[in-house]
DNA sequence: CAGTGAGCGAGCTTCCGCTTGACTT
């Protein structure tokens, strides 16, 4: 017999709480939800007023069995799942599955994992809130209906195995729309003028910028000519105080953003590192939307600040959550013990911890005090004026510890200290420079900035940001890529000693690092969904249904009625689209083939995006070519499309065999006697000639020779080879690692066989879950 | 790894939100 069984969601939480409570409490975790809709068919009985069909998930059978036994033995069962919609549903499912009797079951909640909070919770139990549970059921059923009706439609109309859902489809839409915005963007050029002036007495430098931009070089030059004859006068000096305040403590989304910006972590990397810190008891829960800090945390942060920096640096703050859908079941993400400035662990764990520590402590520190200075400098012979901005830090405050990063890369220099100047001071110029600039389109999303956007729209939850980002990449709707930029010529004009010098410079632009690009299939699926399911693809869809869930939670609406109102028109549209719409291949006509006059079109084929010359109905079979990596159906030109048919090219004969050149999955290659040789970066497959190709073939043969370390006459299937990762044994088309302690060239056949025998059997690759 | 682009049809794919491991290179 046990007196009390407490059930929480997370095992790490269970461990902590067990310590607070006495011996008469056994604390266990449910590991999140224990039941879900059946996966077969819909898992929803539509005919029967949307009755959900719940089953215990396969991976939860063991937990449920254990909990059931403990619950049977316990006098009182305390269900302490989180105080939000999902948590309430977990509580209800537990009550059902564990067959808990009402009189011995109590529902309790707490937001902080402190002894006081938990003891208080135990004195104030309540019963399960059926309305909140119903709101969750509505959420769950809606997502299942949308996902499991739209996905099969995509299998039929676009390609098998695709998926659609309330969250993922909108995430893809954001990326598709941004890409199109960038494609349609045309950069405008302008000239920015900046000057370095000299103060009259000390001759100190004053950097200033012209208030006006010129849109062509002629006007710019005319202005510089005026400058060469102008008198420069300080027209005004304006000083005003400024302040900066610290950012609130981390929640899931902001942690993901800052870890990406400051540490270069991917969203899923951040979450798994945070998970380890959490499991080691070093930080609080990492999936949260609340910026709230417990009283205890504020107190320890305060004493840490006082002892490390002094009283002056302390400013206790209460932050409030501003994001819309926030459910605030947890605290902000913070160190469990703020007195621990650093922790043991991997370097990634240490760096993430340090980031969390700084952000948490900085949030309770004073504002930084600044003095901002603006000096206006007028020209004697022109309307335009220069402005010099200065910023002096009077008191650093929280900046001592932590500065939040931004996504925008700015090329503006940070304002610094300006020399003392007063009105009517005369300045002379040292140098005035005009640099050609281009306007830039909106930036592509990174994983982290996409999370930020989703959160702003109230779409998705802290526990799903990382999985959503993975899903849209796994489905091949979106690719995370680093792409080299292009170069362009820019012009600069420099005025020095009364002379204007013009210079051309090359500049890189448009390079992208780990950014999200939509694929052709992503765009086709997006356009299909937008055409037929505008409502679900609307950025406000989630926010609108959330309002309805809220009213269900308040007991003002019936969940089945709400679902029914949504489902009827939705399902009709699915049926109608299934029957009437064409297969969606994203087909687009590019133009005419100049040689044959036949139409040239791009579309998604069985093996991905391709170009087709001619119609299927033609007598002659159409020609096909796959798009190359980096090309997109959206942006490919007729010329680029026709180029794809110039390969493979025949270069001529070598050693009585034909040499051809083409582009394959791994780039351009030369083919000869069924052997393939990659071209180097300098070679162009469209222009390469036989001589160079033969040279490459010879080089490859030389490399092959060095590749073979040892062969055995007795066993031709076995070879010792030199590979990319060092020497290895290949046998019957399987490869085996050679232990570091052995010298590969000295291995005997027997020794090789031994290594092969000892090698662990590779299990077949796990299927994507 | 370096192609393919027809068609039949069985059987499978798929959602979002709660939680952790169990798996590789």
């Amino acid at each position: 017999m046990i007196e009390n069984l407490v059930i929480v969601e997370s095992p790490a939480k269970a461990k902590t709480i067990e310590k607070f409570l006495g011996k008469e409490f056994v604390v266990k975790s449910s590991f999140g939800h224990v039941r879900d809709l059946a996966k077969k068919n819909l898992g929803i009985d539509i005919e029967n007023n949307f009755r959900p069909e719940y089953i215990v998930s396969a991976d939860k059978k063991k937990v449920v069995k254990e909990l059931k036994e403990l619950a049977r033995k316990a006098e009182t069962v305390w269900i302490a799942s989180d105080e939000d919609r999902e948590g309430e549903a977990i509580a209800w499912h537990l009550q059902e599955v564990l067959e808990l009797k009402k009189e011995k079951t109590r529902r309790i909640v707490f937001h902080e994992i402190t002894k006081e909070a938990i003891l208080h919770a135990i004195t104030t139990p309540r019963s399960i809130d059926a309305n909140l549970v119903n709101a969750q059921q509505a959420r769950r059923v809606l997502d299942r209906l949308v996902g499991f009706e739209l996905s099969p439609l995509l299998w039929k109309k676009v390609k098998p195995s695709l998926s659609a859902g309330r969250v993922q489809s909108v995430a893809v839409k954001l990326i598709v729309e941004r890409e199109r915005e960038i494609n349609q963007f045309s950069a405008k050029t302008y000239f920015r003028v900046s000057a370095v002036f000299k103060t009259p007495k000390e001759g100190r430098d004053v950097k200033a910028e012209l208030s006006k931009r010129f849109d062509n070089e002629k006007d710019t030059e005319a202005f510089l000519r005026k400058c060469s004859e102008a008198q420069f006068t300080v027209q005004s000096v304006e000083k005003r105080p400024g302040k900066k305040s610290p950012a609130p403590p981390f929640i899931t989304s902001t942690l993901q953003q800052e870890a990406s910006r400051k540490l270069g972590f991917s969203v899923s990397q951040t979450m798994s590192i945070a998970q380890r810190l959490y499991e080691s008891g070093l930080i609080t829960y990492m999936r949260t939307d609340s910026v709230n800090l417990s009283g205890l945390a504020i107190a320890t942060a305060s004493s840490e600040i006082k002892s490390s920096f002094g009283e002056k640096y302390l400013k206790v703050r209460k932050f409030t959550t501003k994001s819309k859908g926030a459910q605030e079941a947890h605290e902000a993400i913070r160190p469990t013990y703020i007195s621990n400035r650093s922790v043991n662990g991997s370097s990634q764990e240490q760096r993430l911890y340090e980031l969390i520590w700084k952000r948490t402590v900085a949030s309770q520190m004073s504002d930084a005090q600044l003095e901002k200075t603006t000096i206006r400098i007028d020209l004697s012979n022109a309307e335009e004026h220069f402005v010099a901005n200065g910023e002096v830090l009077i008191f650093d405050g929280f900046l001592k510890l932590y500065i939040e990063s931004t996504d925008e890369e700015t090329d503006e220099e940070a304002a610094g200290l300006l020399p003392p100047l007063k009105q009517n001071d005369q300045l002379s110029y040292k140098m005035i420079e005009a640099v050609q600039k281009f306007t830039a389109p909106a930036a592509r999303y990174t994983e982290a900035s996409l999370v930020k956007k989703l959160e702003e729209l109230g779409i998705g939850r802290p526990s799903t940001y990382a999985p959503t980002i993975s899903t849209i990449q796994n489905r091949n709707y979106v690719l995370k890529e680093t792409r080299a930029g292009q170069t362009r010529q820019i012009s600069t004009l420099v005025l020095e000693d009364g002379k204007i010098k013009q210079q051309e410079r090359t500049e890189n632009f448009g390079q992208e690092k780990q950014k999200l690009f939509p694929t052709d299939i992503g765009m086709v699926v997006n356009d299909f969904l937008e055409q037929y399911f505008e409502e679900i693809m609307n950025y406000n869809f989630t926010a609108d249904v959330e309002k309805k869930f809220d009213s269900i939670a308040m007991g003002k609406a019936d969940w089945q009625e709400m679902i029914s109102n949504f489902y009827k028109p939705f399902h009709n549209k699915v049926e109608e689209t299934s029957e009437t719409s064409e297969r969606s291949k994203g087909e687009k006509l590019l133009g005419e083939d100049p040689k044959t006059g036949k139409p040239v079109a791009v579309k998604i084929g069985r093996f991905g995006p391709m170009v087709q010359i001619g119609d299927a109905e033609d007598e002659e079979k159409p020609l096909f070519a796959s798009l190359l990596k980096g090309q997109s159906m959206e942006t490919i030109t007729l010329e680029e499309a026709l180029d794809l048919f110039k390969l493979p090219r025949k270069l001529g004969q070598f050693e009585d065999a034909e040499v051809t050149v083409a582009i394959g999955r791994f780039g351009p290659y030369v083919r000869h006697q069924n052997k393939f040789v990659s071209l180097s970066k300098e070679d162009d497959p469209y222009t390469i000639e036989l001589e160079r190709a033969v040279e490459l073939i010879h080089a490859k043969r030389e490399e092959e020779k060095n590749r073979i370390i040892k062969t055995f006459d007795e066993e031709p299937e076995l070879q010792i080879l030199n590979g990319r990762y060092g020497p290895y044994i290949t046998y019957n088309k399987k490869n085996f690692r050679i232990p570091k302690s052995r010298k590969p060239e000295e291995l005997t056949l027997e020794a090789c066989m031994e290594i092969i025998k000892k090698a662990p059997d590779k299990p077949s690759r796990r299927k994507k879950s």
Side-chain angles (χ1 to χ4, degrees), chain A residues 120-185:
Chain A
H120 176 74
I122 284 184
T123 60
T124 53
R126 58 174 175 83
S127 53
I128 290 171
D129 182 343
N131 290 330
L132 199 51
V133 173
N134 287 339
Q136 192 275 347
Q137 297 202 92
R139 198 281 304 156
R140 181 67 193 92
V141 166
L142 177 96
D143 283 337
R144 170 58 66 87
L145 290 171
V146 169
F148 275 38
E149 294 220 352
L150 286 187
S151 300
L153 191 59
L154 292 179
W155 306 341
K156 186 174 169 191
K157 297 295 178 183
V158 185
K159 212 178 112 170
S161 297
L162 295 175
S163 66
R166 174 176 58 83
V167 174
Q168 60 168 283
S169 296
V170 178
V172 173
K173 180 179 165 183
L174 284 165
I175 294 164
V176 169
E177 287 197 334
R178 179 59 53 87
E179 191 68 21
R180 288 187 170 146
E181 203 182 319
I182 293 168
N183 287 341
Q184 276 151 26
F185 181 84

Side-chain angles (χ1 to χ4, degrees), chain A residues 254-276:
Chain A
T254 50
L255 178 69
Q256 288 169 348
Q257 287 156 41
E258 279 289 85
S260 160
R261 295 186 282 228
K262 286 196 155 78
L263 309 176
F265 293 169
S266 73
V267 161
S268 65
Q269 226 181 342
T270 299
M271 292 314 282
S272 66
I273 298 164
Q275 176 87 29
R276 288 203 292 277

Side-chain angles (χ1 to χ4, degrees), chain A residues 393-608:
Chain A
L393 196 60
I394 293 170
F395 176 64
D396 54 0
F398 77 97
L399 290 178
K400 213 178 185 68
L401 205 54
Y402 185 90
I403 302 169
E404 187 177 37
S405 302
T406 55
D407 287 322
E408 300 81 49
E409 50 243 51
T410 51
D411 55 356
E412 306 205 355
E413 268 179 71
L417 182 66
L418 288 174
L421 284 170
K422 56 183 192 305
Q423 202 178 10
N424 296 328
D425 277 353
Q426 296 290 310
L427 300 172
S428 58
Y429 74 83
K430 195 167 158 186
M431 192 260 287
I432 300 178
E433 182 186 43
V435 179
Q436 186 177 14
K437 297 274 176 189
F438 291 88
T439 52
R444 288 192 176 82
Y445 287 104
T446 61
E447 287 188 354
S449 68
L450 182 63
V451 168
K452 184 180 181 183
K453 185 72 191 174
L454 287 172
E455 188 191 35
E456 279 168 16
L457 295 167
I459 299 171
R461 303 277 312 131
S463 66
T464 59
Y465 294 138
T468 300
I469 301 265
S470 301
T471 300
I472 61 176
Q473 293 180 67
N474 288 339
R475 296 269 174 277
N476 199 24
Y477 291 151
V478 165
L479 286 176
K480 182 165 74 173
E481 282 195 325
T482 296
R483 290 193 187 171
Q486 296 154 278
T487 55
R488 64 185 161 205
Q489 290 292 112
I490 58 162
S491 169
T492 61
L493 297 168
V494 179
L495 169 67
E496 242 171 331
D497 300 327
K499 273 178 242 147
I500 298 171
K501 260 190 275 175
Q502 197 267 349
Q503 273 181 341
E504 294 285 323
R505 229 170 38 204
T506 48
E507 147 186 282
N508 283 320
F509 75 101
Q511 54 272 68
E512 293 284 24
K513 225 177 122 189
Q514 301 284 78
K515 293 287 177 64
L516 300 174
F517 293 81
T519 61
D520 288 310
I521 193 81
M523 293 203 188
V524 169
V525 167
N526 178 70
D527 294 350
F528 177 84
L529 293 173
E530 283 217 88
Q531 184 181 346
Y532 299 106
F533 300 95
E534 203 194 335
E535 183 194 10
I536 287 163
M537 295 299 281
N538 191 312
Y539 291 126
N540 289 322
F541 179 68
T542 290
D544 291 344
V545 292
E546 279 291 339
K547 274 184 212 143
K548 292 175 185 159
F549 296 151
D550 283 346
S551 91
I552 294 168
M554 287 187 289
K556 289 183 191 160
D558 178 75
W559 80 265
Q560 277 135 322
E561 203 180 310
M562 181 235 150
I563 291 295
S564 173
N565 288 339
F566 164 78
Y567 184 72
K568 276 178 197 155
F570 170 71
H571 182 71
N572 284 343
K573 188 75 189 174
V574 171
E575 295 273 284
E576 184 198 317
T577 311
S578 178
E579 279 156 28
T580 62
S581 82
E582 290 248 340
R583 247 190 105 79
S584 189
K585 293 175 183 162
E587 187 160 354
K588 199 175 94 179
L589 194 68
L590 293 180
E592 243 177 34
D593 178 16
K595 268 188 240 160
T596 60
K598 287 183 181 177
V600 180
V602 282
K603 64 179 183 188
I604 302 232
R606 208 149 56 99
F607 307 101

Side-chain angles (χ1 to χ4, degrees), chain A residues 1 54 68 136 140 170 269 289-290 462 496 500 628 651:
Chain A
M1 200 71 194
Y54 292 114
K68 206 168 174 176
Q136 192 275 347
R140 181 67 193 92
V170 178
Q269 226 181 342
D289 52 19
S290 168
E496 242 171 331
I500 298 171
L628 298 177
L651 296 184

Side-chain angles (χ1 to χ4, degrees), chain A residues 603-640:
Chain A
K603 64 179 183 188
I604 302 232
R606 208 149 56 99
F607 307 101
M610 64 172 191
V611 184
Q612 179 175 340
I613 303 182
D615 285 317
E617 293 89 47
D618 276 3
E619 278 183 34
E620 265 180 278
K621 213 178 155 233
L623 297 172
F624 301 104
S626 289
L627 261 60
L628 298 177
K629 211 181 153 218
Q631 287 183 328
S632 129
M633 286 175 22
E634 190 109 345
T635 55
I636 194 169
T637 60
L638 178 63
E639 202 184 6
E640 287 165 340

Side-chain angles (χ1 to χ4, degrees), chain A residues 40-60:
Chain A
K40 274 185 199 149
N41 305 321
L42 266 184
I44 299 162
D45 189 351
I46 310 247
E47 306 293 300
N48 215 332
N49 203 10
F50 302 93
R51 198 177 57 81
E53 187 195 333
Y54 292 114
I55 54 169
V56 174
S57 333
D59 55 333
K60 296 294 166 56

